[in-house]
């Protein structure tokens, strides 16, 4: 191998490596599943993970923001989500694994919209199905 090939291979490795990077989900307590209801503040349909931010009334009735990390757009699509699934002002109930540090948010498992439509999680086989309640469409 000549020096030029080695240098190009090295550059390619450095450029491509971030595409394979992924963070851990260790910050979520996957032993717990809780839910909150509120109003959508923002919906971020972006990769590597979509997000939904919800204003939820605290114990005193004051609206506070909760942020929920979702999966990739491809995975969320298999769970029924679309770029226009929710918009600011929509009422929503979110089931999630809470953050271990107790801050307001977590890993979204599923959501129920005001009309009763349930979104997520993707079905176990990762594909859309027609079985009601399994996360497919």
């Amino acid at each position: 191998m000549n020096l030029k090939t080695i240098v190009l291979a090295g550059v390619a490795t450095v450029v491509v490596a971030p595409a394979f990077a992924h963070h851990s989900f260790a910050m979520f307590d996957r032993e717990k599943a809780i839910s909150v209801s509120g109003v959508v503040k923002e919906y971020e349909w972006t990769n590597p993970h979509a997000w939904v931010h919800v204003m939820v009334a605290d114990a005193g009735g004051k609206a506070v923001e909760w942020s929920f990390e979702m999966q990739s757009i491809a995975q969320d699509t298999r769970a029924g989500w679309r770029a226009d699934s929710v918009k600011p002002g929509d009422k929503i109930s979110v089931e999630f694994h809470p953050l271990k540090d107790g801050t307001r948010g977590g890993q979204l498992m599923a959501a129920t919209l005001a009309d009763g439509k349930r979104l997520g999680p993707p079905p176990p086989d990762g594909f859309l199905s027609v079985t009601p309640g399994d996360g497919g469409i």
Side-chain angles (χ1 to χ4, degrees), residues 27 34 65-68 96-106:
M27 72 283 258
I34 58 177
E65 184 174 346
W66 286 67
S67 297
F68 302 101
F96 62 99
H97 294 299
L99 287 159
K100 289 180 179 177
D101 69 4
T103 55
R104 296 184 304 264

Side-chain angles (χ1 to χ4, degrees), residues 3-76:
L3 183 59
K4 184 178 180 181
T5 303
I6 293 171
V7 170
L8 286 174
V11 169
T13 300
V14 169
V15 171
V16 173
F20 294 108
H22 197 274
H23 70 83
S24 167
F25 285 95
M27 72 283 258
F28 302 115
D29 185 347
R30 297 185 53 85
E31 298 297 316
K32 293 181 183 174
I34 58 177
S35 64
V36 295
S37 296
V39 176
V40 174
K41 176 184 177 189
E42 183 180 6
Y43 177 48
E44 300 176 60
W45 186 249
T46 59
N47 273 318
H49 294 271
W51 286 81
V52 63
H53 305 276
V54 179
M55 299 305 291
V56 177
D58 67 9
K62 178 184 173 191
V64 293
E65 184 174 346
W66 286 67
S67 297
F68 302 101
E69 184 171 7
M70 300 168 66
Q71 301 298 322
S72 69
I73 289 175
Q75 290 170 305
D76 289 330

